[in-house]
Amino acid sequence: RFSYYGMRAVLVLYFKYFLLWDEDLATSIYHAFVALCYLTPILGAIVADSWLGKFRTIIYLSIVYAIGQIVMAVSAIHDITDTDRNGTPDNMTFHVALSMLGLVLIALGTGGIKPCVSAFGGDQFEEHQTTQRSTFFSVFYLCINAGSLLSTIITPILRSKECGIHSQEQCYPLAFGVPAVLMVISLVVFIAGSGMYVKAAPQGNIILQVCKCIGFAIKNRFKHRSSKYPKREHWMDWASEKYDKLLIVQIKMVLKVLFLYIPLPMFWTLFDQKGSRWTLQATTMDGDIGLIVLQPDQMQTVNPILILTLVPIMDRIVYPLIKKCGFNFSPLKRMTVGMFLAAMAFVAAALVQLQIDKTLPVFPSSSQAQLNLLNIAESGVTVTIPPNEPVVLGAGQVNLIKKKKVAIKLAVIQIIFITDITCIQTIHVHLPQVEDKTAKPEKGGNEIRFVNALSTPVNVSTKAANYETISPLLFSNYSLIPQGKHTFNITNGVQKCEYTKILGYGAAYTILLPSCCHPHTITPCEIQPNSVSIALQIPQYFLITAGEVVFSVTGLEFSYSQAPSNMKAVLQAGWLFTVAVGNFIVLIVAELAKIPQKWAEYLLFACLLVAVCVIFSIMAYFYTYMDPAAIEAQYREEKELEPEEKEQLEMTKDQVVNTTEDVDVFSRRTKM
């Protein structure tokens, strides 16, 4: 779990800042990967139950899993193709191809072992060891959340470190490499215990059997579509010529639950965006919350922390209180509430995004230009750019001029350095031009550059960047400096001094050097640090996690209770399939909708889920709870009865199937 969640925590940032994809493409590929991780469990279940068995399936696919993690770590090493040693890969196609190969292998591995690991653990207990089995699953669930929590804390820290052979860049190889090493260690430990395991032989895959039965029923119904053939009570009854009646009844129960699954993907569409859109949102926020400083991808730790807190609170306090108040809070009602809470989480995310948008700089559009005048002369000057009014600039001052409807294709922001004015004739003025920043700095860092107003060269360096030598009356390139306190060493060969500045997140600064030891900061682009606290994301994480606890945990319990004894794996596969479909929906919306305002996109998702929530509540209202064990027992007894007894049993059976009384899932299972 550390291996999977640790890799996934930094994945969308890897796409954006290493592979240099835009936010929409990064989001799409991220959710395509997650969707694939939830499609492959079906393949893993078929392989384990039909051919290899759970133990060998876990071994083989874990090897694939570990290889995928290693490939991902190698793909993030920029020095492999960085021939000019500037910190940027020169052959991005190589890194993209290697990354996609690694992700496919990881999806096959993690998805393939997903249905096998928990079931293999359950196989280690005999029928009378129900208490021990229950303890195992509790520890298993705890390990999942512990792995998720630790990885989302540690992996972003590893990612934020700098590493490299020729140039120092953010250490994605370490962020992917540590999960790869842990995956190899876990595989070795698992294999080491081979002699102690109970290894059940493959019994044949029920999923394939169900699919064949459904396929035969459809095919047989199509053959007998003429009106001369009598209608049957249910379309699955057309399979009775070939398949056992009990199997058909079991499939009917499964299909009844699967029909309820149709609206569920929309919940996962919103839920899994906490690893993509919400992480990207965090890059535009201030991670300093007082006692600690959070990286954008570390905010995901709020989810496992809240899960470990809310699950016992809901089970021990909230649900019993609701029951004492006399309200029938059935599983389907809980799931409806969970969907509504997820929608409210995205409303909260939209409100946070509106606050972020207020702090973002306003850059010129495609039909505008923006000009900054910086006077680095020792005296004040007056500058006139027709048809604008004259601008008076004092020494070391900057002024902003905007002009609309200029004949340019792209937005351009330029800064002109006024170095010396000795006469009124402007043709003799030295006016070097450079482009300013036209976007917020990436990765939540700070773009810093220096202007040398001296007549001698100046050398500027710091631990995070080396500006080397800046010629007289010229400027340095921007360097990306992370958040925190930084000391810049400045020397002109004669004087040497230090300049200390505390940096926040997402700002752009131009530091003017009118003398070697008296630098001062100007901000011609007005790109201020991120001022919206990352702590404002906590309410949306609380709402989405509360929705997960009420929706996901209850949904799994409901599916288990409503499934026939031999088809619980079928419903588990169906449940995982809804997660995959939900991620595909994000992929489609991100690529096709192209909504420029993120807050509007969040509201769109919230509205879609509310609409789906209404539909699901109507479907849930007409759903009748079943007792699969009782139904199966009656059909098994039917084979041993006399004809007249069978007729009486049919009447009783209809009453069981069509009962409209809600069943308390947990108490019913205890009684059974």
Side-chain angles (χ1 to χ4, degrees), residues 238-256:
W238 288 96
S240 58
E241 286 86 347
K242 184 176 180 181
Y243 291 92
D244 183 71
K245 195 172 184 180
L246 176 59
L247 176 65
I248 295 173
V249 171
Q250 290 171 330
I251 293 176
K252 288 180 183 179
M253 289 188 280
V254 167
L255 292 176
K256 188 176 180 181

Side-chain angles (χ1 to χ4, degrees), residues 63 97 123 259 346 358 407 461 473 498 511 558 562-563 571 617:
I63 293 173
D123 289 346
F259 177 72
F346 267 66
K358 291 178 183 178
S461 64
L473 307 179
E498 294 182 345
I511 300 176
F558 167 79
Q562 297 294 287
L571 280 185
S617 63

Side-chain angles (χ1 to χ4, degrees), residues 160-163 167-170 445-448 450 460-468 478-489 501 503:
S160 65
K161 302 295 181 183
E162 293 189 344
C163 61
S167 59
Q168 299 293 303
E169 299 295 330
Q170 287 200 334
N446 302 272
E447 298 278 8
I448 310 293
F450 287 83
V460 180
S461 64
T462 184
K463 289 183 179 179
N466 187 3
Y467 291 89
E468 299 180 345
Y478 280 105
S479 289
L480 190 65
I481 309 294
Q483 178 271 346
K485 185 177 181 180
H486 295 271
T487 299
F488 298 88
N489 299 304
K501 188 171 183 62
L503 301 175

Side-chain angles (χ1 to χ4, degrees), residues 176-193:
F176 292 141
V178 170
V181 171
L182 290 176
M183 187 62 210
V184 173
I185 292 174
S186 68
L187 178 58
V188 171
V189 172
F190 180 71
I191 294 175

Side-chain angles (χ1 to χ4, degrees), residues 174 315 348 447 525 580:
L174 187 61
D315 285 341
E447 298 278 8
C525 279

Side-chain angles (χ1 to χ4, degrees), residues 24 39 53 106 145 295 301 347 355 405 423 444 534 601 655:
D24 288 336
L39 283 176
I106 291 171
N145 285 280
Q295 299 296 325
T301 59
V347 172
Q355 293 299 315
K405 297 181 180 178
C423 62
I534 203 170
E601 184 178 284
Q655 293 175 359

